[in-house]
């Protein structure tokens, strides 16, 4: 299959690149080739996992054949995204921070406070061009083609090829301009046990057999007020050996949502409940979540949790909820499309379906003016941090541009599990072939990845992002804490809930400043 050849070629070019790099290690001076004509070293910090490191190293080694004067130190930090951002911020004073870093917009906003983030518009729009012959110079292994012309920036066609929602995310800061660009983008999906398909359960789906369409149009109201209680009764009546939903683990429920903060923020977006905003007069962020609507919603969801309808990572001992899903201790698991591989366990293979996460009934039925269809646009972008060196900044941009060109963006989308960031990738024959689940056996990871890949384009028009500003990261942390509290606490008292919200707001306001 054509799309499989991409990964194979990547390994071959990686080996060739490694050989090339070793041959060049003895060079004492710069090579007369490329846009960068001086020896330049840049540091890339990510938390890209072992499964995807070979792809990243492949891009680095092939980029070396275009820009032989540039050396890229690829540093995988053993931490999470918050830890990665903290490492960079803590290193600003000692000049111990990278040139390129994986970061969520919240972290980029904090970097901007220290005046370390490079505005990318001048690079994106730079029409400076050279012939391939000139760029190749005297470097015999150069991959610049003599017959072509190369520019520093994107052409309008290239710029328009980036999925608009992803590009716009990097422009929603308190200062005008583009300060981050998409790379490992993802969204959330509802993974479910396809053993449910074809079941007929009294009172669910109007008494008809369950279908993929039913799950793909599931509302929160249908899920918690109808499906959960009726399915639990149905499952309880089955013999132990026939039960679909198991209860042999400490944590189990019908529905699992891995990210407490995403759940809190997404519900606000879907139901029109204020979460955060940017004051247009002062340019500062605002935490708005301390309101009666959110309190009422969390109190209701606390009741759902006590009935065994839902668990989250926070309420399940801070364990990833996919672990319970793959062990059949939940029927549904909402998680990142970038982490699709974690929704499958080869030791307990399951036919896993992929559907849109539940939405408000009023949004699905078109009966509400305040409720809307919404799924979070997530996954880290890349931003360039300023070391005061023009070559380092340009080299960082050129590498980003290279590793997200159409060929590499396709490779990353197919083989990493992350979303394709280019429209041309999503519309390509190779991507469509990767989405064809019929070529893979049932109950395999390959079939699940194909389903996830085909799901991503279907929700691109309902993705949302929250405002980002200094302190927005703390708002997200506090939001997650409030959701964990609600799903973990029995018989929540109004006064106790109000105190939790007041404390969360005070903590956020300290960071917003």
């Amino acid at each position: 299959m054509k799309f499989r050849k991409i990964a194979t070629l990547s390994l071959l070019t990686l080996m060739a690149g490694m050989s090339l790099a070793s041959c060049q290690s003895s060079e004492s001076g710069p090579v007369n080739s490329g846009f960068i004509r001086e020896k330049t070293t840049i540091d890339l910090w990510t938390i890209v996992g072992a499964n995807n490191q070979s792809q990243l190293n492949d891009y680095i080694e092939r980029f070396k054949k275009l820009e032989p004067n540039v050396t890229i130190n690829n540093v995988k930090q053993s931490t999470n995204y918050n830890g990665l951002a903290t490492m960079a911020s803590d290193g600003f004073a000692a000049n111990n921070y990278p040139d390129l870093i994986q970061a969520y917009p919240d972290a980029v906003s904090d970097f901007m406070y220290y005046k370390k983030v490079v505005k990318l518009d001048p690079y994106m729009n730079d029409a400076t061009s050279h012939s391939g012959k000139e760029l190749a110079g005297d470097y015999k292994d150069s991959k610049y083609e003599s017959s072509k012309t190369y520019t520093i920036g994107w052409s309008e066609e290239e710029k328009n090829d980036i999925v608009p929602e992803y590009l716009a995310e990097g422009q929603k800061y308190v200062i005008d301009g583009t300060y981050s660009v998409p790379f490992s983008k993802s969204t959330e999906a509802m993974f479910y046990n396809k053993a449910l398909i074809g079941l007929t359960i009294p009172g669910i789906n109007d008494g008809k057999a369950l279908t993929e369409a039913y799950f793909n149009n599931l509302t929160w109201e249908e899920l918690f007020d109808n499906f959960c209680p009726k399915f639990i009764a149905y499952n309880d009546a089955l013999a132990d050996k026939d039960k679909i939903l198991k209860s042999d683990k400490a944590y189990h429920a019908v529905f699992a949502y891995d990210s407490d903060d995403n759940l809190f923020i997404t519900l606000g977006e879907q139901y029109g409940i204020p979460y955060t905003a940017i004051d247009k007069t002062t340019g500062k962020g605002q935490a708005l979540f301390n309101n009666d609507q959110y309190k009422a919603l969390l109190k209701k969801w606390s009741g759902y949790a006590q009935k065994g309808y839902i668990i989250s990572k926070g309420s399940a001992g801070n364990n990833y909820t996919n672990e319970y899903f793959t062990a059949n201790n939940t029927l549904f698991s909402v998680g990142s499309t970038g982490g699709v591989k974690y929704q499958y366990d080869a030791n307990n293979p399951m036919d896993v379906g992929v559907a849109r996460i539940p939405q408000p009934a009023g949004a699905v039925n078109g009966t509400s003016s305040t409720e809307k269809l919404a799924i979070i646009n997530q996954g880290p972008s890349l931003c360039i941090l300023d070391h005061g060196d023009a070559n380092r900044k340009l080299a960082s941009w050129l590498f980003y541009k290279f590793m997200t060109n159409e060929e590499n963006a396709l490779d990353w989308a197919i083989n990493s599990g992350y979303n394709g960031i280019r429209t041309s990738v999503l519309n390509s024959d190779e991507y469509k072939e990767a989405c064809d689940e019929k070529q893979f056996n049932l109950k395999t990871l390959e079939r699940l990845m194909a389903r996830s890949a085909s799901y991503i384009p279907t929700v691109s028009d309902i993705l949302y992002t929250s405002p980002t500003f200094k302190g927005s990261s703390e708002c997200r942390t506090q939001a997650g804490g409030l959701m964990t509290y609600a799903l973990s606490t029995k018989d929540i008292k109004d006064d106790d809930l109000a105190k939790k919200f007041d404390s969360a707001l005070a903590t956020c306001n300290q960071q917003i400043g």
Side-chain angles (χ1 to χ4, degrees), residues 23-79:
C23 290
Q24 291 178 336
S25 62
S26 61
E27 292 177 359
S28 58
V31 180
N32 183 30
S33 178
F35 282 101
I36 307 294
R37 295 300 174 99
E38 298 178 6
K39 288 289 187 180
T40 302
T41 299
I42 62 174
D43 294 324
L44 168 66
W45 284 9
T46 75
I47 64 168
V48 170
N51 288 339
N52 301 323
Q53 275 293 323
S54 61
Q55 287 174 268
L56 190 54
N57 284 324
D58 174 26
Y59 308 150
I60 291 171
E61 297 300 334
R62 285 193 287 120
F63 179 72
K64 188 77 173 178
K65 292 188 178 184
L66 295 174
E67 298 293 330
N69 292 311
V70 178
T71 297
I72 301 175
N73 293 326
N74 175 20
V75 183
K76 179 189 179 297
Q77 302 288 6
S78 299
T79 182

Side-chain angles (χ1 to χ4, degrees), residues 273-391:
I273 305 174
Y275 165 59
T276 59
I278 295 176
D279 188 309
K280 294 182 180 179
T281 302
T282 65
K284 286 188 175 183
Q286 298 174 300
L288 306 175
F289 56 79
N290 191 5
N291 57 65
D292 291 341
Q293 294 164 282
Y294 254 130
K295 291 172 187 174
L297 186 71
L298 260 61
K299 192 169 183 180
K300 184 199 293 191
W301 278 58
S302 177
Y304 294 149
Q306 303 316 310
K307 294 177 181 177
Y309 298 169
I310 180 172
I311 56 172
S312 66
K313 180 182 177 183
S315 68
N318 208 35
N319 299 312
Y320 288 106
T321 56
N322 59 275
E323 297 174 7
Y324 303 107
F325 173 66
T326 56
N328 300 109
N329 290 113
T330 72
L331 296 180
F332 306 93
S333 174
V334 173
S336 169
T337 53
V340 59
K341 296 174 183 177
Y342 295 108
Q343 305 294 341
Y344 179 84
D345 183 357
N347 295 318
N348 183 35
M350 182 196 308
D351 191 16
V352 180
V354 183
R356 186 179 69 184
I357 74 168
Q359 305 289 318
V364 173
N365 301 323
T367 58
S368 172
S369 59
T370 57
E371 298 172 0
K372 67 179 183 180
L373 304 177
I375 303 178
I376 196 167
N377 175 20
Q378 63 175 20
S381 296
L382 288 175
C383 80
I384 298 175
L385 300 178
D386 196 347
H387 286 267
D389 185 312
N391 279 334

Side-chain angles (χ1 to χ4, degrees), residues 172 188 220 257 261-277 288-289 291 293-294 297-298 301 357-360 362-363 368-377 461-468 476 479 483:
K172 293 182 178 179
E188 288 183 326
W220 293 117
Y257 207 119
D261 45 3
N262 280 2
L263 177 56
F264 184 100
I265 298 166
T266 295
L267 289 173
E269 188 73 16
Q270 291 179 341
Y271 283 98
I273 305 174
Y275 165 59
T276 59
L288 306 175
F289 56 79
N291 57 65
Q293 294 164 282
Y294 254 130
L297 186 71
L298 260 61
W301 278 58
I357 74 168
Q359 305 289 318
S368 172
S369 59
T370 57
E371 298 172 0
K372 67 179 183 180
L373 304 177
I375 303 178
I376 196 167
N377 175 20
D461 60 338
I462 61 171
L463 300 178
Y464 80 90
T465 56
S466 299
T468 55
R476 172 175 288 277
M483 181 57 73

Side-chain angles (χ1 to χ4, degrees), residues 434-454:
C435 293
D436 182 10
E437 66 173 79
K438 294 178 182 177
Q439 63 190 303
F440 302 114
N441 292 329
L442 285 172
K443 297 186 178 183
T444 61
L445 176 59
E446 290 81 5
R447 191 165 182 122
L448 170 57
M449 291 188 69
R451 287 170 176 165
S452 181
S454 62

Side-chain angles (χ1 to χ4, degrees), residues 78-327:
S78 299
T79 182
N80 54 31
Y81 291 115
N82 288 338
L84 186 63
T86 299
M87 288 176 66
S89 297
D90 289 348
F92 286 152
N95 197 33
N96 181 26
Y97 58 94
D99 299 87
L100 267 169
I101 185 170
Q102 263 189 322
Y104 275 88
D106 292 324
V108 177
S109 291
D110 289 340
F111 299 158
M112 291 173 73
Y113 176 75
Y114 294 97
K115 298 182 172 21
K116 292 295 186 182
V117 183
V118 175
K119 185 175 183 178
L120 299 176
D121 302 79
Y123 298 93
M124 292 165 52
N125 301 323
D126 192 336
T128 301
S129 63
H130 294 284
S131 69
K133 182 177 181 180
E134 179 184 359
L135 290 171
D138 57 9
Y139 182 48
K140 61 183 178 65
D141 291 323
S142 176
K143 291 302 180 182
Y144 283 117
E145 298 180 32
S146 298
S147 60
K148 292 184 179 181
T149 298
Y150 297 86
T151 61
I152 288 176
W154 278 329
S155 67
E156 283 304 307
E157 182 181 6
E158 288 177 305
K159 194 182 301 181
N160 292 334
D161 192 32
I162 304 296
V163 174
E165 292 82 1
Y166 298 157
L167 190 59
E169 181 186 57
Q171 300 166 339
K172 293 182 178 179
Y173 297 100
V174 294
I175 304 174
D176 289 338
T178 307
Y179 292 92
S180 59
V181 277
F183 181 46
S184 299
K185 303 310 295 177
S186 62
T187 186
E188 288 183 326
M190 182 179 73
F191 302 94
Y192 66 95
N193 188 338
K194 288 200 76 172
L196 297 169
I197 300 298
L199 289 181
T200 301
I201 301 173
I204 299 178
N205 197 30
D206 297 324
K208 296 178 288 189
L210 294 174
T211 63
E212 291 184 358
Y214 171 81
F215 291 118
N216 209 45
N217 290 279
L218 196 62
T219 67
W220 293 117
E221 290 78 8
E222 167 68 13
L223 172 65
F224 290 131
D225 297 336
N226 189 46
F227 181 90
C228 283
K230 289 175 181 174
F231 179 83
I232 288 175
Y234 169 85
N235 194 69
D236 285 348
L238 298 174
D240 286 347
K241 66 181 180 64
D242 298 324
K243 290 187 189 300
I244 302 172
L245 178 63
K246 311 293 185 182
S247 58
D248 58 341
K249 296 288 189 295
Y251 298 103
H252 53 271
V254 178
F255 191 88
Y257 207 119
D258 197 57
S259 173
D260 295 68
D261 45 3
N262 280 2
L263 177 56
F264 184 100
I265 298 166
T266 295
L267 289 173
E269 188 73 16
Q270 291 179 341
Y271 283 98
I273 305 174
Y275 165 59
T276 59
I278 295 176
D279 188 309
K280 294 182 180 179
T281 302
T282 65
K284 286 188 175 183
Q286 298 174 300
L288 306 175
F289 56 79
N290 191 5
N291 57 65
D292 291 341
Q293 294 164 282
Y294 254 130
K295 291 172 187 174
L297 186 71
L298 260 61
K299 192 169 183 180
K300 184 199 293 191
W301 278 58
S302 177
Y304 294 149
Q306 303 316 310
K307 294 177 181 177
Y309 298 169
I310 180 172
I311 56 172
S312 66
K313 180 182 177 183
S315 68
N318 208 35
N319 299 312
Y320 288 106
T321 56
N322 59 275
E323 297 174 7
Y324 303 107
F325 173 66
T326 56

